[in-house]
Structure formats: C-alpha cells, structure tokens
Amino acid sequence: MSTQITDHTHFQPLVEASPMPTAIYSGADMIISVANEAMLNLWGKKASVIGKTLREALPELDGQPFHDLLAQVYTTGEPYVAKEGRADLVVDGRLQSFYFTFTYKPLKNAEGQTEAIINTAADVTELVLSRARIRETEERMSFALQSAGMGTWDLNLETNEVIWDDRCKELYGFSKEDRVPYQQVLKYMHTADVERVNRAVAYALTPASGGVYDIKFRTLGADDGKIRWLHCKGNAYFNADGQPYRFAGTALDVTSEAGARRRELQLLSLVERNADHMSIADMEGNLIYMNAAARTILGVDEHEDVTHYTAQDFYQPQEFKRVQQGVIPQIDSEKGWQGVIHLMNRKTHDVIPCQVNYILIKDPQTGEVIGRGATARDLRPELKAKAELQRLATLIDVSEDFCNYCDINGNTLYLNESGRELIGLTEEQYYGKQLYEYHSDASNRLIADELIPQLLKTGRWSGPLELVHQVTGEIIPIHKQMFMVREEITNEPVAIAGIARDLRPELNARKALDVKNAELSALVTEMAFMADSVPVIVWTSTPDGHIDYVNERWNQLSAISIDNSLGTNWTDVIHPDDRQNAWDAWQHSITTGVPFQTEYRCLEKSGNYRWYLVQALPLRDSEGRILKWYGTNTDIQEQKELARQKDNFLGVASHELKTPVTSIKAYAQVMETLFTRSGDTRNAAIVAKMDKQLNRLTSLIGDLLDVTKINTGRLEFHYSHYDFNQMLEEVVESVQLTTEKHAIQKQFKFHRQMQGDRERISQVITNLLTNAIKYSPDANRIVIYTEDHGHEVQLCVQDFGIGISQDKKDRVFEQFYRVSGSKEHTFPGLGLGLYISSEIVKRMGGKIWVNSVEGKGSTFCFAIPVEAPVA
Ligand code: ADP
C-alpha cells in the first residue's frame, strides 16, 4: 500500500511493485511521500509514517549520518551510493544495527532542481555479519596458530604457487618479505633432511597415501641462522581424476620438543649409567624402572622386565617390614627420606647396606603423587674403606712405635699414645708442640740440615735420631722413618709423618747379649779345660760322622795327633782286627741315630794297643734332628785284662773240675747199683740223691765251660738236619722227669725238619724250661708252644711264676746277671743260662726275647732260621 502525497505519484506503482525496499522523500524537509512495503518492513514502521518527515518517522536516525547525506544529495543534486552502510533502527521496539547497501538518487524537475530523493536499500545485515563472523574465526584461528607458533602453508599445484603465512616463512627460513615460489622451498632445509622430505611430499601426492603428509625436519633460519626442528602436517586434495590440485597444512616449531626429548634421553642415559642404584616404583611398590646399577646390585638381568617385581623381592622379610612400617610413611613429599637400608640381591641373597634417598614422584600437570623414586648407594666399599681406615687409625693409635704427624712448619698435629708416653707428654700438651722441642740439639741440626731437604727431594728419610723426654730430660735413641705428605692435586708438601722405634730395648738387649756372649766364651774355655782334664778322651762329631773335636787327652795317649785324627782319620789307629766292627757300628749309629757303644783297641804312642770302651750320644734339636754326636773313649785295658784272667781261670778251673766230677759220677752210679743189688735201699737212695747233685754240678761246670768258650770265641756248632718235634719231645720228657709239681703242656704248630745244631738248641730249650719251673714255685703248669713262621721257627716257654720287672727284663740275657731282690735269692744259680742261650741263638742267626709281668709270669721266646745260615 502506498500513499500519494506529492506529484511524484507516477513513481508510486513502480515503487510499490519493487521487491527492493524503496522510498521517496520530498522537498528539503524530506517528507516521506512514498514508501513501499519492503521499506516499511525494513524500518520496522507502519504506513502511517507516510506523509511525515523522515526525522519524525525515524527519530532514531538522529545522530546518524543519513540526514546529512540526504541534505547533501538534495543540495548538490549528486546521487549517493553506500555499500554496506550501517544504520541503527528501532525494530520490534529495540534499537538494532543493520547493514544496507543503499542509494540516494535525486529526482529533478525540468529546471534541473532536485525536488525529491529516491532511496533504495538492500538489507545486507546477514551478509555483513556472517562475513564478520568468518573474519573473526579466521582471526581467532590465526591467533591460535600464532600462539602455538604454527605456520600455515598452501600449495596450489596447478599454479605451483605457495601461500605462506609469516610464521610459516619464518619457520621455513625465509624472511617475511620474501616471495617464495615452490621451487625454492627447499632452500633453507637441512641438507640431511632434504631427501626424506622430498620422498614424503611425493608420497603424499599419490592417491594411495590418502594425501597424508606428516614429517619432522630441520630448517636453517635466513635471519637468525638458527636450526629449527619443524613438524609439518598436511593434506593433499585430489580431483575426480586422482590428480592432486592442492596441498596444504601447518608447520610447527618442535625444536624445543625435540630438545626436550633429547634432554630426556640424555637424562635417561645419565640415569641408566649412574653408578648409584636408581629405581622407580608405583605407590603399591610395583617396580616400573631400574637402572643398570640397580639391576647388578639387586640381581636382575640386563633385559629382564622389572615390572614383574615388587619392592618386597629385594628385602629380607625383617627389613621389608621395617621399610614398610617405618620408612615409607615417612617419605615426605618435600624432602623425601634419607637413610640406611639393607637391600638384598635376589639371586645371591647377599644383604647390601645402602644409603638410600627416597622421593615422591608427582604428575607435573596435576601434582598428584604417582610413584616413589629411590637412589641407593652401595655402602659396602665405603664401609670397608672406613673400617680399613679405622683399623689403620687404631693400629697407629695402639702401635707400640712412636707415630707423629706434623705440619710443614714442624707443629705437631698428632702423636699416638706410645709416642706421648715415650716423651712424657699428655694428650692436651702435644698438639701444636714444635718437633724441634722434643728432639735433641744434635737431632735438630740433622733435621734442619739434612732431613728436611731430603724429605722435600725424595719424599722419605730414615735413620737414627734422639728424642728428649719432656719431663725427665732423658735422651732417647730412636730409629725414625719419615715421609713427606703432599697435597693430592697441587702436590704441595703439607705435612710430615713419622714413625720411630725406641732403640733402648735393642741397645740394652745388645748389651745383655754381649755380657752373655762373654759369659759363654768363658764357659767354653772352662769346658775345654774340663774336657782336657778328664781322664777320658772326649770328642764330638758332625751328624754325618766326621770327628770335629778331640780333647787334649788324645794327644797324650794316641799315636797320632788331634789334627791327624779329625774327620775319619781316627780309624787309622784302631787295631786291624777291630777296625771293621768299629766302623760298621759307627755307621749304624749315624744312620739310625742309636747311641754308639763299642770296644776296640787303639794304637798308643808306645806302639802298643790298648782297649777302649767307646760311647757316643746324639744331641738333637727340637725337631729331633741330630746336631752333633758327643763321644768318649774310656780306657778299659785293665778290665779287659782282668776279664781275660777271669776267663782263663774259669776255663782252667771248670776244665780241671770236670774230670774228677765225671769220675765221681761214675763211682756214684756203681755204688748205687751195688747198694740196690745188696738190698740196701736206704744207701741206694742217698747215692741217688748224690748223683742228682752231681748232675747239677756237671751242668754248672758245663755252663762255665760254655761261657769261657763263648768269651774266647771257641764255642763250636755242629750242623745237621733233624726232626725238630722229636727233639722237643725228648727235651720235654727229660725236663718233666725233674719235676712232679709242674705239668708241661705242649702246643706245637711247627712240624718240619730243621737244619742246625740239635744239641745246642736242646740246651737252650732245656734252660728255658728249667728256668720256668725254677721261677714259678707256686704254679703247676708250664706251656711250651711253637709257631711256623715260614723261614723261621718260633718257640716260647710260658710260665705263671714270679715274672720280671719291666726295667730288668732285657738285662737277664747278660753274663752273670741275676735279678736281685729278697725273693730271688732263694733261687740258686750263676746267672749264666740265659747268657749262653742268647749267645747260641744269636750265633744261629736268630733272636731271643722275653715278655713278662711281675707277679704274673714270663714268656721267653726265640726265633731261629729253619735253614742254617751260610757261615
Ligand atoms: P740263673 O742261673 O740265675 O737262673 P739265668 O741266666 O738262667 O741264670 O737267668 C738269669 C736271671 O733271670 C735269673 O737269675 C732270674 O732272676 C731271671 N729269670 C730267668 N728265667 C726266669 C723266669 N722264667 N722267671 C723269672 N725270672 C727268670
């Protein structure tokens, strides 16, 4: 609907029909003469505004430029076109902003005067607003990209032109002013990355890749020359033919990220290679990480997955409890926890004392505690070193030697207890004391002139010095060793360490030794004098039998001088008949160590031989080794002479006795026969007793004769083969006849022929049996038994009589030896039987011995070869 106000009514139908908001303002007052529906809507007004001035109709336009613009068009006659001009209108009761593209065109009369203005307007509010919104979004986006340091790039593959934002240029190394065709893109790229980038681009531009481009590479800044790591992401777009037509994306500077990653790697390798144990566990104690040191110490293999383990696997139960209850709750989120914990190697179960540092690990974003980290230092080497140091310190502390430590100026910093005691200083007094104060003047001169210069030169000095006792003033001789201590890094001399030995005990000992030595040499002289003055010859020999000392006596007696008799020369003066025996006996002793005892004749100065009893005993060290033989030669010439006279006498006497006794025995037997025949049994019995005594006499004389034969080497043997058992039976039978009290029990296990002197052997057995009867008056049996020992026969006679004491049993085989004692005197005898028996047995190549228990009885045995030795 429109209203005709002026004469412009011819426009009206046109205006009315126009879909474009249109109005006509008439006259200088701008009366709204025509306004179509669209314009009214645009204004948000009713048709009633027609006929009113524009000012009246739209009062909200006051203060906006429209009135002025209209006035300008009216007066100038120039039309006005506005694009997207803003107008604030009251629509729906609210003042709202709208954007219009509008025209004010003058309508002129025939005279060319403006009469009215036609206003057309198009509402472009939506367009303007949406464009503003797009711009805003773009702005926001680029702001976001900018703040993320991200650049954008867009390659038009058809024109080969790249559109970069400034950031992107900067990142790719170009200055903002540069115009960059695609060919130059690689200009600032790190040469090492170029090929990789080219490949990635080529791949992204193939449809198979889906157009995805995602790569990191380095560029070199044109302005700053800085190497940057870029992370480029993009997409290629393909047309229906699969041809790429656009390739666009973003570039992000990840230099710091790469740095952070590198730093992280560096840190990790530092952690991995750290000598200390480092581990991380979650709050439940499940392990997450362990460095190499931790693996070694805890017994986890190099590539083993540690997440299988919990903290519990690395503690002994007791320690685990302590850590769980006492340590874990104490791990403070600020300071952590430090202390000593005993970890355990899960393989070896070794317990390792460690200095442990616990910290809580937090999520850097949220601050939430997510785990516990531990660093642990194996304290064993430290403890060992400390213990060693302590031991050393204790050693020095308790050392009996004087130990001191002075600074380079000689001020005493340390003096051990022995040192303090030696020079009479208390613990409080020694510190700082000048070393020159406690050395003698002579030593001080030596220290200053010789010792310090040498210490500086060679680092050490040793020699005798003198200390001065700080209380008594006594001069104490010492042997001192000194060392220069230098600073480890600068090698500057910093201190002097010393250790000294008190020489007084040594000097005293030496003095004492001198005294002892003097005493000893006096003693030796005395001994030599004594040895020379004794009537016997005294000598010593080396362990191998060389005579190395003979006393003066030798010179007086022997045909040769001492010098000529040393070594083995002494044998020269031995009687040729005795020499071999003497030599053999001596060799036997030096090889076996048994005492040496023999008799031989020695040539005297006078040219005669004299008999000597030669004896020697070995002197042994603590291990029983022979050090020396000590021997004596005793003159037994007279004893020998007497023994010879005795033997002569016995020989003559027994021989002279033997003949009359044999005749008496014959007469006695005749007498006994005569008496028996005449029926005079009384006298026959007397004569029989006489005959018995004659038998004993004969046997005694026989013994005496045998002894003289033995002594003069005239005992003869008659060897033959004979039946040993038959001989035994005969002997036993005849001895059995002499006793009624004792039964002789026989146990014979030897049943062979023997070769030997049958008579002499029966003599021995008879002797053993008669002794057994004689020395067991209270017993009623004797046992005789034999054993076959292969090449030997052993025979024993056992009695249950008085026995022989241990110390005497071996002496019963000596000539004339009889066991003395009150009881024994009741047994008659000469002490010759066993001597003769033992000589016979020895001559036959056998041995004889006795086992006896005093009061219980004796067993006499001999063993002789079955075959007679080749004489
Ligand atoms: P005698 O003529 O004294 O018996 P022997 O030479 O036969 O001489 O014995 C020496 C000593 O040995 C004896 O005096 C005796 O003391 C001791 N004797 C010998 N045989 C025995 C024995 N069977 N039991 C105890 N003592 C014995």
Side-chain angles (χ1 to χ4, degrees):
M1 193 177 82
S2 68
T3 312
Q4 186 180 345
I5 304 285
T6 66
D7 48 355
H8 305 297
T9 46
H10 50 280
F11 285 112
Q12 196 170 340
L14 213 67
V15 173
E16 291 277 337
S18 171
M20 180 173 270
T22 311
I24 297 171
Y25 314 122
S26 307
D29 294 337
M30 302 295 155
I31 294 161
I32 304 167
S33 52
V34 180
N36 69 0
E37 189 80 27
M39 187 55 107
L40 288 172
N41 280 346
L42 191 149
W43 285 339
K45 305 291 188 234
K46 303 252 170 58
S48 55
V49 296
I50 295 167
K52 291 186 182 171
T53 63
L54 193 63
R55 273 187 205 280
E56 285 164 354
L58 296 145
E60 64 262 40
L61 292 184
D62 277 355
Q64 298 190 47
F66 306 110
H67 292 304
D68 292 344
L69 287 170
L70 284 169
Q72 194 187 323
V73 172
Y74 194 83
T75 41
T76 63
E78 293 290 316
Y80 177 80
V81 181
K83 239 186 145 193
E84 295 172 12
R86 176 177 152 174
D88 295 336
L89 299 169
V90 177
V91 178
D92 299 335
R94 279 188 298 126
L95 184 69
Q96 299 179 47
S97 295
F98 296 95
Y99 293 89
F100 302 103
T101 294
F102 63 91
T103 54
Y104 292 151
K105 270 190 193 156
L107 294 176
K108 295 179 182 172
N109 57 19
E111 287 87 41
Q113 290 223 304
T114 304
E115 285 183 350
I117 292 171
I118 184 162
N119 177 11
T120 57
D123 184 353
V124 291
T125 307
E126 272 307 306
L127 180 76
V128 169
L129 286 183
S130 67
R131 201 183 295 137
R133 268 200 301 276
I134 288 172
R135 199 169 43 248
E136 238 171 68
T137 315
E138 263 179 1
E139 257 167 28
R140 252 205 311 274
M141 174 90 148
S142 86
F143 184 71
L145 288 175
Q146 227 166 10
S147 65
M150 212 180 250
T152 57
W153 49 269
D154 193 342
L155 170 66
N156 185 331
L157 291 164
E158 277 145 15
T159 61
N160 239 352
E161 194 184 327
V162 200
I163 301 164
W164 310 72
D165 69 358
D166 287 350
R167 175 63 180 154
C168 205
K169 279 189 187 167
E170 190 189 330
L171 291 179
Y172 269 81
F174 299 100
S175 359
K176 287 179 187 158
E177 293 74 37
D178 288 347
R179 275 186 54 85
V180 191
Y182 179 66
Q183 285 73 12
Q184 284 201 24
V185 164
L186 302 175
K187 185 172 164 191
Y188 294 107
M189 197 169 288
H190 198 291
T191 45
D193 297 337
V194 170
E195 202 191 318
R196 206 160 45 85
V197 173
N198 277 336
R199 257 199 324 248
V201 171
Y203 182 63
L205 296 180
T206 58
S209 67
V212 176
Y213 176 65
D214 188 337
I215 190 167
K216 285 179 185 158
F217 57 86
R218 281 160 290 179
T219 61
L220 195 67
D223 293 339
D224 52 16
K226 243 169 83 175
I227 288 188
R228 288 189 178 79
W229 271 99
L230 298 195
H231 186 182
C232 279
K233 279 185 169 182
N235 242 306
Y237 299 91
F238 302 91
N239 60 21
D241 304 331
Q243 284 298 316
Y245 62 90
R246 191 180 164 203
F247 186 38
T250 56
L252 178 67
D253 184 352
V254 291
T255 313
S256 59
E257 195 183 289
R261 176 76 193 132
R262 202 167 45 244
R263 268 197 297 283
E264 197 178 298
L265 284 172
Q266 283 165 347
L267 265 176
L268 205 65
S269 84
L270 196 70
V271 168
E272 189 61 23
R273 291 198 176 84
N274 199 305
D276 285 349
H277 155 176
M278 289 182 165
S279 64
I280 299 172
D282 67 14
M283 293 308 281
E284 279 73 53
N286 301 308
L287 275 151
I288 296 165
Y289 171 78
M290 224 183 234
N291 70 353
R295 285 170 187 270
T296 317
I297 211 173
L298 298 176
V300 176
D301 292 336
E302 199 183 338
H303 301 296
E304 214 178 328
D305 179 5
V306 294
T307 58
H308 299 320
Y309 293 113
T310 74
Q312 195 166 1
D313 296 322
F314 305 106
Y315 289 105
Q316 287 202 321
Q318 197 63 21
E319 185 71 342
F320 181 68
K321 213 163 124 196
R322 181 178 80 89
V323 172
Q324 274 310 91
Q325 295 174 358
V327 176
I328 299 287
Q330 282 190 44
I331 303 176
D332 183 77
S333 66
E334 296 302 315
K335 292 184 193 137
W337 182 93
Q338 293 86 29
V340 174
I341 282 176
H342 289 83
L343 292 169
M344 183 189 71
N345 183 301
R346 53 172 291 278
K347 281 190 189 153
T348 62
H349 297 279
D350 280 352
V351 173
I352 307 133
C354 289
Q355 174 70 35
V356 176
N357 218 327
Y358 269 123
I359 49 158
L360 289 177
I361 297 174
K362 293 179 185 171
D363 183 319
Q365 247 92 58
T366 63
E368 181 200 352
V369 174
I370 50 171
R372 275 186 291 266
T375 60
R377 197 173 72 249
D378 185 351
L379 287 178
R380 285 175 304 182
E382 220 163 280
L383 290 175
K384 205 173 143 206
K386 212 187 254 174
E388 224 133 79
L389 213 63
Q390 214 153 24
R391 216 173 16 240
L392 207 70
T394 330
L395 259 175
I396 291 175
D397 268 348
V398 303
S399 166
E400 281 181 18
D401 289 336
F402 169 108
C403 299
N404 70 342
Y405 193 80
C406 300
D407 69 15
I408 199 71
N409 301 315
N411 298 309
T412 307
L413 304 177
Y414 171 78
L415 185 58
N416 72 344
E417 202 185 324
S418 303
R420 298 197 295 269
E421 210 168 284
L422 188 65
I423 56 171
L425 281 179
T426 64
E427 204 168 349
E428 295 74 39
Q429 288 168 333
Y430 82 76
Y431 191 83
K433 193 109 181 160
Q434 259 294 322
L435 112 101
Y436 294 106
E437 280 180 59
Y438 52 79
H439 283 88
S440 74
D441 291 346
S443 289
N444 284 341
R445 274 195 299 279
L446 193 71
I447 293 172
D449 299 347
E450 198 180 294
L451 201 148
I452 300 278
Q454 191 184 328
L455 271 180
L456 284 168
K457 212 166 112 197
T458 65
R460 55 198 309 156
W461 179 89
S462 72
L465 283 181
E466 289 169 341
L467 291 169
V468 179
H469 194 281
Q470 297 299 287
V471 180
T472 63
E474 187 195 348
I475 300 281
I476 304 153
I478 53 166
H479 183 271
K480 185 145 190 167
Q481 283 180 284
M482 289 185 125
F483 309 91
M484 182 59 82
V485 181
R486 287 176 183 273
E487 216 274 330
E488 217 171 286
I489 298 165
T490 62
N491 204 32
E492 279 294 304
V494 284
I496 302 163
I499 180 161
R501 207 175 62 240
D502 181 358
L503 288 180
R504 287 172 306 177
E506 217 166 277
L507 293 176
N508 289 345
R510 202 173 298 158
K511 246 184 248 163
L513 200 68
D514 288 346
V515 171
K516 271 265 157 345
N517 277 340
E519 279 174 9
L520 205 67
S521 70
L523 208 64
V524 168
T525 325
E526 239 169 73
M527 285 299 288
F529 176 76
M530 231 167 77
D532 288 341
S533 57
V534 290
V536 290
I537 294 167
V538 178
W539 50 268
T540 63
S541 148
T542 57
D544 61 359
H546 285 71
I547 308 300
D548 57 0
Y549 164 81
V550 187
N551 72 344
E552 246 324 286
R553 197 83 190 147
W554 179 271
N555 272 344
Q556 295 161 12
L557 299 174
S558 174
I560 56 171
S561 70
I562 290 176
D563 289 344
N564 290 336
S565 54
L566 294 180
T568 53
N569 296 338
W570 52 281
T571 51
D572 294 351
V573 284
I574 297 179
H575 192 285
D577 291 350
D578 303 339
R579 198 175 286 156
Q580 192 58 45
N581 275 346
W583 180 253
D584 291 349
W586 178 233
Q587 291 309 307
H588 177 71
S589 283
I590 60 175
T591 45
T592 60
V594 298
F596 176 56
Q597 176 163 351
T598 191
E599 294 172 355
Y600 54 73
R601 283 161 286 180
C602 267
L603 189 65
E604 278 197 310
K605 275 198 163 57
S606 60
N608 298 322
Y609 282 96
R610 277 185 89 78
W611 276 102
Y612 284 93
L613 168 67
V614 184
Q615 291 167 300
L617 286 174
L619 174 74
R620 294 174 189 271
D621 66 9
S622 55
E623 261 115 63
R625 284 186 298 252
I626 295 175
L627 298 172
K628 228 173 184 33
W629 287 88
Y630 286 85
T632 53
N633 297 9
T634 314
D635 184 345
I636 52 162
Q637 183 63 28
E638 274 176 36
Q639 281 106 299
K640 279 280 172 189
E641 210 82 347
L642 286 172
R644 200 173 51 80
Q645 283 171 16
K646 178 203 74 188
D647 285 341
N648 277 347
F649 167 75
L650 281 179
V652 173
S654 51
H655 194 263
E656 291 304 319
L657 284 171
K658 200 182 165 190
T659 322
V661 168
T662 314
S663 325
I664 295 170
K665 195 172 159 52
Y667 291 127
Q669 277 166 359
V670 173
M671 268 171 78
E672 195 192 343
T673 317
L674 291 177
F675 280 134
T676 311
R677 268 191 212 150
S678 64
D680 186 351
T681 49
R682 212 170 71 92
N683 278 322
I686 291 171
V687 177
K689 274 184 189 159
M690 193 173 83
D691 184 55
K692 219 172 173 186
Q693 291 306 316
L694 280 171
N695 281 345
R696 282 194 60 201
L697 190 61
T698 314
S699 138
L700 284 174
I701 291 166
D703 279 357
L704 280 173
L705 265 174
D706 282 346
V707 169
T708 53
K709 281 183 193 157
I710 291 167
N711 288 352
T712 52
R714 287 184 288 110
L715 189 67
E716 284 169 14
F717 286 85
H718 304 285
Y719 287 94
S720 66
H721 283 281
Y722 64 95
D723 186 324
F724 193 71
N725 279 347
Q726 195 191 336
M727 176 274 291
L728 273 182
E729 294 290 353
E730 283 169 21
V731 172
V732 171
E733 198 187 326
S734 74
V735 178
Q736 183 68 75
L737 286 177
T738 64
T739 173
E740 278 158 16
K741 196 161 191 283
H742 298 85
I744 303 174
Q745 300 172 344
K746 299 170 283 184
Q747 293 165 9
F748 300 147
K749 289 190 187 139
F750 180 85
H751 303 289
R752 289 192 282 149
Q753 284 272 313
M754 275 287 287
Q755 192 193 11
D757 188 324
R758 193 180 193 272
E759 288 316 307
R760 288 292 178 197
I761 287 300
S762 359
Q763 185 185 347
V764 172
I765 299 164
T766 306
N767 183 243
L768 296 184
L769 284 171
T770 47
N771 274 353
I773 292 165
K774 185 160 68 170
Y775 296 102
S776 64
D778 301 328
N780 53 15
R781 66 185 182 112
I782 305 288
V783 182
I784 178 166
Y785 58 91
T786 59
E787 282 167 18
D788 190 338
H789 287 181
H791 68 285
E792 270 182 353
V793 57
Q794 182 176 316
L795 181 144
C796 297
V797 174
Q798 184 180 15
D799 68 58
F800 306 91
I802 61 166
I804 310 164
S805 67
Q806 207 56 22
D807 56 326
K808 293 185 178 126
K809 76 180 178 58
D810 291 324
R811 297 202 61 192
V812 295
F813 300 104
E814 288 173 19
Q815 201 179 117
F816 297 117
Y817 185 83
R818 308 202 67 229
V819 177
S820 61
S822 52
K823 272 191 275 168
E824 286 78 3
H825 286 300
T826 58
F827 302 104
L830 287 178
L832 290 177
L834 287 178
Y835 168 69
I836 295 164
S837 297
S838 88
E839 285 301 314
I840 293 170
V841 168
K842 273 193 251 170
R843 286 283 301 277
M844 297 188 81
K847 54 189 182 296
I848 187 165
W849 68 94
V850 59
N851 290 318
S852 185
V853 178
E854 207 174 3
K856 290 253 181 316
S858 316
T859 303
F860 280 85
C861 298
F862 67 79
I864 45 171
V866 177
E867 294 292 322
V870 188

